[in-house]
Amino acid sequence: MERNILLAAQKLDTLLAQPSCRLGVFVPAGLHPQTAEQRHLDCLAQAGADMFEIGFPHTAPFLDGPVIQSAYRRALRHGHGLDHTVRAVEHAARLRPTVVMAYWDSVSRYSPEHVTGLFADAGAAGVMVVDLPAHMAARWHQAASSAGLVTPSLVPRRTPNSGLPAAVAGASGWLYAPASTALTGHQGAVDIPALADFTQRLRQAASVPIVSGVGISTPALAARIAPLVNAVIIGTPVVRALLTNPGQAPAVAASFAQALRPTFRGHRV
């Protein structure tokens, strides 16, 4: 089992070391019954997802906009919590390198040690806690390290230079640089020069890859951001399709994959 856990993290490292920007796709666990969810993950992988970010449903996802909030509410209404998230991770990790996105309250409810053990056994490469409290950081990183998981960190855009050392401390796998300061699902303009400056400051503060998401609402915008980061993660455009017309979700993902890699035609193994 330890060898498999290490392999998951190595696959993520290898992916993010590629010269071209990779595509990550966020999928909230529990939005659909297990069989349908697995089928959607299969199709998204074939459509161009290089990695998955599986969302652990939370009652108050305060960094997320209405689309992802709605997805989490639906999942929780159907009773889809930790167990369903583990099963989603198991399937996603068979397809692509997979990281779990979680809020601290969801983790602390079960204990960091229990949660990291479950996700490691499921094949996850890591878990990103987007609102990790500073006073719990040491325990969290110890639990994840013991389980063999990487611990990506989301660094708020407004973090000053003086705050970067603390913000990136303990981060592994990647640093998440939000493209927008708004909630997920933002469809307005993105300040590309400001994002470029932020990613440069992050690269000076830590040696891990940089990924970006939040507000990357179109393939054209993803293509503009691609030179700045190692991966672009899309969430709301795919989740919106999964909520309303799941059959359209692979086409959404494919449009972003083709923007990042114009020669990509989909249907990869």
Side-chain angles (χ1 to χ4, degrees), residues 51-111:
M51 62 182 180
F52 284 114
E53 189 178 84
I54 300 297
F56 185 178
H58 182 49
T59 55
F62 60 90
L63 296 177
D64 289 301
V67 173
I68 293 176
Q69 288 183 20
S70 177
Y72 280 162
R73 283 196 300 270
R74 180 190 291 190
L76 293 170
R77 191 164 59 245
H78 293 160
H80 295 163
L82 178 59
D83 290 345
H84 196 109
T85 305
V86 170
R87 292 195 294 271
V89 170
E90 284 177 340
H91 191 78
R94 295 188 191 107
L95 302 167
R96 300 288 184 263
T98 298
V99 169
V100 181
M101 195 288 285
Y103 284 86
W104 177 249
D105 183 64
S106 297
V107 171
S108 62
R109 184 179 306 142
Y110 300 96
S111 90

Side-chain angles (χ1 to χ4, degrees), residues 199-223:
T199 57
Q200 183 178 12
R201 291 195 293 124
L202 288 179
R203 292 192 190 280
Q204 292 171 348
S207 59
V208 295
I210 309 295
V211 309
S212 188
V214 184
I216 305 179
S217 57
T218 67
L221 184 54

